[in-house]
Amino acid sequence: EEAFKAELVDILTAGRAHRHGRAMSKDDVIALVERVFEHGRARRREQELKAQQREQRDVQRLKRLWRTAADRAEKCLAKAEQQAKCDFARRRVAAESVRQKKREA
């Protein structure tokens, strides 16, 4: 990066970079190149931060979906267990009824 900056400064000063209609000094060119590079670094940091935040949001969303799915599975299991108990009780009552009729007959 430093070598590239130095080459850029040399090119701009040799080419007599102008700003507002007057030639820029070498110090002005160096300051301009530094600002451009700092702006690029700031943009990259900003993009990295946004990517991290997006990743964190995705992780939170997946955790929430996982919890929701687990809750639904639990409810479904509880409902199935309840249904099995009801079926068992219904069959027991029906069997008892059949036994009762056989005794009476």
Side-chain angles (χ1 to χ4, degrees):
E1 186 178 296
E2 291 300 320
F4 182 71
K5 278 194 226 176
E7 188 178 339
L8 190 57
V9 167
D10 289 343
I11 291 169
L12 288 173
T13 51
R16 287 289 188 201
H18 284 70
R19 187 174 186 193
H20 303 303
R22 56 192 173 101
M24 293 174 69
S25 70
K26 187 167 184 165
D27 290 338
D28 290 342
V29 171
I30 290 172
L32 177 65
V33 168
E34 274 301 321
R35 271 202 320 274
V36 168
F37 274 78
E38 181 53 41
H39 180 71
R41 282 191 291 270
R43 294 247 341 209
R44 275 192 301 281
R45 280 193 304 268
E46 194 175 293
Q47 288 172 345
E48 287 171 6
L49 181 64
K50 284 183 180 178
Q52 285 177 345
Q53 289 172 342
R54 192 170 28 255
E55 190 175 309
Q56 287 173 348
R57 277 195 311 268
D58 290 347
V59 166
Q60 293 301 320
R61 188 176 303 123
L62 284 173
K63 284 181 180 178
R64 210 169 34 250
L65 284 172
W66 181 256
R67 280 195 305 270
T68 302
D71 289 347
R72 285 183 182 163
E74 243 178 67
K75 285 179 185 174
C76 187
L77 183 60
K79 195 172 185 179
E81 286 175 352
Q82 186 63 36
Q83 187 65 41
K85 287 177 185 174
C86 288
D87 290 347
F88 179 74
R90 200 175 301 121
R91 278 190 300 239
R92 192 177 62 210
V93 167
E96 187 63 39
S97 163
V98 168
R99 278 190 226 118
Q100 183 78 24
K101 284 180 183 175
K102 281 183 181 176
R103 274 189 240 135
E104 289 173 0

